[in-house]
Amino acid sequence: MSLYPSLEDMKVDHMIKAQLQSEPHYGLQPTHNIPSAPTAPSAPLASPSAPLYPFLGEYMGLELSEEAILQNMPEYAVVKRDSMDMVLPSQPQGLIANMVAPLSGQSAGLQRAQVTNGIRELTLCKDKDGKVGLRVHPVNEGVFVCLVSPKSPAALAGLRFGDQILEINGESLAGYSMEKVHKIFRNCPINGINVVIRDRPFERTITMHKYSSGHIGFQFKNGKIIALIKDSSAARNGLLTDHQILEVNGKNVIGLKDKEITAEIEKGGDIITITVIPSFIYDHMIKKMNNSLLKSMDHSVPNL
């Protein structure tokens, strides 16, 4: 996963790091000099080394020592840094020092839609009809998946639109035609079909954050992005026009109507990750496919 899935993540991360860097100057008194009762700051607040607040070891009748906190509030922990004590919610070790994606990092949609461009190996089989459940199309001497049937062996193995097939049972497919690749699959045995793929080399994911109104700042027609709203999350995060929407939060939306894609965005939460591909490549990959085939594409949501 990228360090900052969205520009908003980067801004928040910078703010958090700036706050943490200022803590040595605006922290609390060291524990070995702490009086038993609240006291006023020992120096004027204008001084950078002065504490902003008196120590709260015992405040309004409450004991807030480290031992009391650990005993009564185990979800909190005392974090020691530069000889200063800070009471913070317990978090995974190293999270504060290495903050990654504070807003979007745990988004299920981002994890489902992540495009790695890496190489992976799959083992396919054939269904009762002797099919693996996919169609391919050549682009620039490469072979790419352009259709995955629902509940097919290809869908169950995790193949997706835009995956590049590099090898089938050790045979390199560079320069092969669609017919030749389909013939290879037909001649394969029922089980143990070894397929090597590169994860969606033409595609990329964009993570955006909704406004309070529920919008993220782009318009599309027939799944193609046609306009961006100035200063929107979509514009700030580098979304481009003339790109086709392939997935919303990891769910394939190819073949769905615009209102159905809109519904997926609306119910997707405050953080939306879409997978896109340049329109001219998309159009080339589907130019020989009719709408009924696109509508029958696998639209399941990948498991994490």
Side-chain angles (χ1 to χ4, degrees):
M1 185 179 296
S2 58
L3 181 61
Y4 300 115
S6 70
L7 184 64
E8 288 85 350
D9 284 292
M10 187 182 74
K11 298 291 187 182
V12 171
D13 195 18
H14 288 177
M15 180 182 67
I16 292 174
K17 289 178 179 177
Q19 291 175 341
L20 291 173
Q21 289 173 358
S22 69
E23 284 170 2
H25 301 292
Y26 298 97
L28 302 178
Q29 294 266 3
T31 54
H32 57 274
N33 291 328
I34 293 172
S36 59
T39 63
S42 58
L45 288 178
S47 172
S49 60
L52 291 177
Y53 302 99
F55 178 71
L56 300 180
E58 185 176 333
Y59 182 69
M60 296 181 65
L62 298 176
E63 183 185 355
L64 299 177
S65 64
E66 177 180 348
E67 293 76 12
I69 291 174
L70 290 175
Q71 181 178 358
N72 299 289
M73 294 182 288
E75 69 275 14
Y76 283 76
V78 176
V79 180
K80 296 181 181 295
R81 191 163 66 86
D82 296 334
S83 300
M84 311 295 283
D85 282 358
M86 302 178 296
V87 179
L88 296 172
S90 58
Q91 304 194 40
Q93 185 175 5
L95 179 60
I96 292 179
N98 301 288
M99 182 67 71
V100 176
L103 295 177
S104 309
Q106 303 304 316
S107 168
L110 175 63
Q111 296 175 48
R112 293 191 184 102
Q114 185 70 15
V115 177
T116 67
N117 300 136
I119 292 177
R120 52 197 172 109
E121 187 176 15
L122 304 175
T123 301
L124 301 180
C125 64
K126 294 182 179 180
D127 60 17
K128 58 182 177 60
D129 298 320
K131 298 180 179 180
V132 295
L134 62 81
R135 284 196 177 195
V136 302
H137 196 87
V139 180
N140 297 343
E141 300 299 317
V143 174
F144 291 81
V145 176
C146 61
L147 184 144
V148 178
S149 300
K151 299 181 181 179
S152 65
L156 296 176
L159 276 169
R160 295 172 291 187
F161 181 98
D163 283 337
Q164 182 182 4
I165 304 180
L166 304 179
E167 293 182 355
I168 300 176
N169 287 340
E171 182 175 353
S172 175
L173 305 187
Y176 279 22
S177 65
M178 174 182 67
E179 292 77 12
K180 190 170 184 178
V181 175
H182 289 170
K183 183 178 179 180
I184 292 174
F185 275 121
R186 286 196 299 269
N187 294 334
C188 283
I190 296 178
N191 296 309
I193 306 173
N194 182 269
V195 178
V196 178
I197 69 168
R198 181 176 292 280
D199 179 32
R200 305 188 286 180
F202 288 135
E203 301 173 28
R204 65 189 183 115
T205 56
I206 304 289
T207 299
M208 297 161 288
H209 298 253
K210 290 181 180 177
Y211 293 113
S212 57
S213 61
H215 299 293
I216 49 182
F218 68 92
Q219 298 175 353
F220 60 92
K221 184 177 181 180
N222 296 326
K224 179 180 178 180
I225 299 169
I226 58 174
L228 302 175
I229 298 175
K230 185 178 180 180
D231 294 329
S232 65
S233 183
R236 290 195 305 270
N237 281 287
L239 190 64
L240 301 173
T241 57
D242 293 326
H243 277 63
Q244 189 77 21
I245 303 173
L246 304 182
E247 296 180 356
V248 174
N249 283 346
K251 179 178 180 178
N252 185 353
V253 296
I254 299 173
L256 299 184
K257 297 179 179 179
D258 285 348
K259 63 179 181 180
E260 295 174 302
I261 299 176
T262 300
E264 291 294 332
I265 294 174
E266 289 178 347
K267 70 181 183 181
D270 295 332
I271 299 171
I272 299 294
T273 299
I274 66 171
T275 303
V276 297
I277 189 173
S279 294
F280 72 93
I281 296 177
Y282 174 81
D283 293 339
H284 178 71
M285 291 176 66
I286 68 165
K287 64 182 179 181
K288 293 184 179 180
M289 296 171 57
N290 57 44
N291 289 334
S292 62
L293 280 176
L294 292 178
K295 292 179 181 178
S296 67
M297 183 100 58
D298 175 53
H299 294 116
S300 61
V301 179
N303 294 323
L304 296 177

